[in-house]
Each structure stands twice: as C-alpha cells, then as structure tokens.
Amino acid sequence: MKKPIIMDCDPGHDDALALLLAFASDELDVKAVTTVGGNQTSDKTLNNAMRVLSYAGITDVPVAPGASHPLIRELQIAPEVHGESGLEGPELPEPSFASFGKSAIELMEKVIMSSEEKITLVPTGPLTNIATLLLTIPESKDRIERISLMGGSAVGGNWTPAAEFNILVDPEAADLVFQSGIPITMCGLDVTHKAQIYDDEIEAIRSQGGKVSVMVAELLDFFAKFHKKLGFEGSPLHDPCAVAWLIKPELFTSKHLHVDIETKGEFTSGATVVDYRGVTGKDPNTDVVYDLERKAFIQLLMDSFKKYD
Ligand code: BDR
Ligand code: CA
C-alpha cells in the first residue's frame, strides 16, 4: 500500500527535485501539493510547482496556493540561490492546468479529513502552512501520521550562523509544529550538506536523455553556480532528503531527540536547539537525521528521473 502524502513546498530548485522524486515513487501516493512563500514570493512558488508538474505531465493532482507571509514576520526570500523566478535554468512552459480553487489549508483539510489512512506531510519550505493548518483545523492533528521535513540543523545554520533558511523565515510556525506532538523527521543541514551532487553526476543525469532528466540537469547547473561561489564542491540536495527518507529510510541515520525552536534570540532566532545530551529532560519529539548513504541516494534520484522517459 502506498503511503499517502502531501507535499508542501516553495520551489526552488531542490523543491522541484523533491516533487519529481515523490511523484515517481512506487512507495508514495502524492494526494496534493501546496505551496508557500519562501525561496520566492508565493505567486512565483505556486507557478513554479505547476510549471514543473506540467512539464513532467502531472496534471491530475490538486495544487493550491498557501501563505504569502510568515505568521508574524516579513517574508525573506532567496533569489541569490534560486534566481528571480525562483526556478532559473531550464525553459519551462506555463502551467497546463488550473490550480485548486481554494487555499492550501482548505486543500490539506479536505485530503486529511477524508482519508481513511493517516496522511504524512512533507514540508520543504517555511512551516507557515503547516502551523496554520494546526491552528485553524486542530482536529487534523490526529489524522497526521508524521511530518518529514527539510529544515533546521543540529550544528550551525546557512542563512545566519545559527539558523537554516526554512526555520529562520518562520520560527513561530516551526515552534508550533515542533511542539505539536506529531512525530517529526528533521532532515536538516547535518544530513543535507552530506547529500551533495557532483558535476559528473549531473552529467550522468543529463545523459539519461529523457526530457525530465535533461531539465533536472539544467536546474542543477544553475543551483551549482551558487554553491560553487560559496566553496561547496557539489550542491546539497536539501529537499529531496525529506522525500527519500520516506522511500528508503535505510539509507539514513538518525537519533530520536528533543528539538526546541529559538524564536527570540538576538543572534540565534530560527535555530533548532537539539538536545543531544538529554540535558533538558524533555521527551524526544524529533528524529534528527544526520547521515546518509550518498551514492545510493543519488542513484535513487537518477532512477526516479529516468522513470519519466
Ligand atoms: C532550504 O532553503 C531553501 O533555499 C531550499 O529550497 C531548502 O528547502 C535549505 O536551507
Ligand atoms: Ca525548499
């Protein structure tokens, strides 16, 4: 039986790869896609999700627009990573289908409350939509199996010294989610910086030849430019980790630990404070993922993109 999931994303190059990985999987059944302001403004992230899906021929799954701003803060975006459109690199067509006529929260409520099986949420952007769902539809909480998210880190940030981008953008939302009691898998920078793809692997994806593989390689060409400037050898494939953990958890290593979100710190706002030594005495609330079998992860992605040929 396939695991029913909702992808909540802000495409974004790595979000686009996460979507393609999820839709190609025999283990996952993507019931809906919701978008959020993050890497770019919410109008662009919605359009990007729909353009990628249209390009890949996925036009029968509802896609709904979510929050344009964090719960209480101004939106921060990341054009230096993802470009002005949020998805620079390949030429993508305009969407070939209409978005769901209602909001992300209404779509998530419909899917979660009407499903016989509990739903797994896969957020790969700021957690604004997920927090809003839990605030406005509290009965949805018991119908959520798990949240497998990309965000945070146990050691050091990427947008400030302490905070990773997705959590930094909306720490109040992240705080609500981490305190919700729902089982959480946190694929943070600890693992995603080990999930790098290198130039020869991008070429191997391109030479698979299918139109999705070629488009993915063009996305990765753009993504690599930013990371090379920062001194990375490859590009960290952050968001696909949150999906791959659901497909092949055996590729990953994690520890069950307590995580708090810093919402007030002068230098540390948006930090995920991971209690590695159990000093808080608080019950673990998160599977903190910190390592993976990188080559097998890249192979999973390559095989998944090939399925679209
Ligand atoms: C996260 O921030 C975004 O730029 C990426 O899409 C990823 O979700 C990494 O910090
Ligand atoms: Ca993202």
Side-chain angles (χ1 to χ4, degrees):
M1 181 95 154
K2 287 184 165 195
K3 187 186 285 296
I5 69 167
I6 297 175
M7 296 291 296
D8 181 62
C9 56
D10 63 338
H13 294 68
D14 51 337
D15 300 81
L17 270 56
L19 283 171
L20 293 167
L21 174 62
F23 275 101
S25 170
D26 294 331
E27 281 80 25
L28 304 177
D29 180 7
V30 185
K31 296 284 188 193
V33 175
T34 53
T35 57
V36 65
N39 285 323
Q40 260 298 351
T41 53
S42 56
D43 54 336
K44 291 183 182 176
T45 59
L46 173 68
N47 188 252
N48 289 343
M50 294 176 67
R51 288 193 300 145
V52 167
L53 297 181
S54 298
Y55 183 91
I58 303 158
T59 55
D60 55 351
V61 170
V63 182
S68 56
H69 288 90
L71 293 184
I72 60 171
R73 299 182 187 228
E74 291 295 314
L75 179 65
Q76 299 183 54
I77 58 173
E80 48 280 71
V81 190
H82 302 278
E84 268 315 302
S85 69
L87 211 48
E88 292 297 321
E91 292 245 336
L92 289 167
E94 283 308 307
S96 60
F97 61 102
S99 65
F100 187 69
K102 295 178 182 173
S103 73
I105 306 306
E106 288 165 295
L107 177 55
M108 285 196 274
E109 177 186 12
K110 178 172 177 269
V111 171
I112 291 167
M113 299 313 288
S114 67
S115 173
E116 275 180 23
E117 256 194 276
K118 287 188 178 186
I119 299 286
T120 295
L121 303 181
V122 189
T124 59
L127 290 163
T128 320
N129 287 342
I130 311 300
T132 306
L133 173 76
L134 298 177
L135 281 171
T136 56
I137 322 284
E139 63 275 23
S140 65
K141 190 180 123 177
D142 294 338
R143 306 294 313 145
I144 297 169
E145 171 87 11
R146 173 172 288 270
I147 299 175
S148 178
L149 63 87
M150 191 283 136
S153 85
V155 184
N158 60 355
W159 225 248
T160 71
E164 178 280 330
F165 179 77
N166 289 339
I167 307 296
L168 178 78
V169 171
D170 199 344
E172 286 73 22
D175 187 32
L176 265 157
V177 169
F178 277 78
Q179 288 200 47
S180 67
I182 299 167
I184 292 175
T185 299
M186 179 177 114
C187 291
L189 302 177
D190 315 286
V191 63
T192 68
H193 279 182
K194 294 175 183 164
Q196 290 188 36
I197 187 162
Y198 301 112
D199 287 348
D200 60 323
E201 293 163 338
I202 298 174
E203 289 318 314
I205 291 175
R206 197 184 328 270
S207 63
Q208 293 193 138
K211 71 175 220 174
V212 166
S213 295
V214 170
M215 184 268 282
V216 164
E218 288 171 4
L219 282 173
L220 289 169
D221 291 341
F222 186 91
F223 204 45
K225 283 185 206 151
F226 169 79
H227 289 101
K228 290 218 165 109
K229 269 192 237 153
L230 285 187
F232 280 91
E233 195 187 329
S235 295
L237 297 182
H238 305 285
D239 296 339
C241 288
V243 176
W245 186 88
L246 292 169
I247 300 172
K248 284 189 181 255
E250 67 276 14
L251 300 184
F252 294 86
T253 316
S254 62
K255 281 194 178 137
H256 195 48
L257 300 165
H258 188 83
V259 178
D260 281 313
I261 306 297
E262 178 58 83
T263 57
K264 297 190 184 73
E266 184 181 355
F267 303 111
T268 54
S269 184
T272 40
V273 181
V274 177
D275 185 8
Y276 257 105
R277 297 191 180 83
V279 293
T280 63
K282 294 177 183 171
D283 287 339
N285 59 354
T286 303
D287 290 304
V288 178
V289 184
Y290 63 89
D291 206 354
L292 87 167
E293 291 178 34
R294 193 197 69 84
K295 283 194 174 159
F297 167 73
I298 298 292
Q299 192 62 53
L300 172 65
L301 285 163
M302 290 188 65
D303 294 344
S304 303
F305 303 142
K306 209 170 169 34
K307 285 190 189 170
Y308 290 95
D309 289 359

